[in-house]
Amino acid sequence: MTDQQEKVIIVEGLSDKKQVKKIIAEDAEVVCTNGTLGVEKFDELLNQYDLDHRDVYILADEDSPGIRLRSQLARELPHARHIHVSSEYREVAATPENMLAIELAGKQIAVNPIFLI
């Protein structure tokens, strides 16, 4: 894997992607699902990002749509690691940067140290 990043972080929406990209300090690929996935859309993601052969992290909101997405992805990608945000914040984009950084770092994803203060 010389021309693509090892890690893929799957999030729901663009605001989640922006929040994660701002915090991480490594060249991981952040992929938006834009909500629930149909079979065809999932197969596109699987092939486009070679998800069966990469380190995959699932970071979904702690609300009904996010939990459904996480469940679906867990079935399709059993090797994926799960990153959870507190149910207090419910959404990835609404989670304070320092709290999100702690969760990401806990999964061995490099984060910008300024977010760990």
Side-chain angles (χ1 to χ4, degrees):
M1 291 192 168
T2 55
D3 61 338
Q4 70 181 10
Q5 299 90 353
E6 283 286 320
K7 296 177 183 172
V8 177
I9 304 169
I10 300 175
V11 298
E12 288 181 76
L14 190 55
S15 58
D16 301 334
K17 180 177 181 173
K18 288 179 182 176
Q19 182 82 327
V20 170
K21 291 291 276 183
K22 178 171 42 172
I23 294 170
I24 62 174
E26 65 179 84
D27 198 21
E29 193 151 11
V30 183
V31 177
C32 291
T33 65
N34 297 312
T36 57
L37 291 173
V39 173
E40 188 174 305
K41 176 70 171 164
F42 176 76
D43 286 344
E44 279 179 32
L45 288 177
L46 186 67
N47 292 326
Q48 181 178 356
Y49 297 102
D50 194 25
L51 297 179
D52 281 334
H53 303 102
R54 294 174 71 187
D55 295 334
V56 178
Y57 299 82
I58 300 168
L59 177 57
D61 294 341
E62 293 297 324
D63 57 10
S64 293
I67 292 167
R68 276 193 306 273
L69 177 64
R70 181 183 299 281
S71 177
Q72 177 187 10
L73 290 171
R75 281 191 308 274
E76 301 294 339
L77 300 167
H79 69 285
R81 297 179 71 190
H82 295 265
I83 304 169
H84 294 273
V85 296
S86 171
S87 57
E88 175 183 354
Y89 305 113
R90 292 184 48 110
E91 298 177 1
V92 172
T95 301
E97 293 166 343
N98 66 319
M99 300 300 291
L100 189 53
I102 289 167
E103 293 301 320
L104 291 163
K107 297 296 184 184
Q108 288 73 49
I109 296 171
V111 298
N112 187 325
I114 67 165
F115 294 109
L116 294 173
I117 297 172

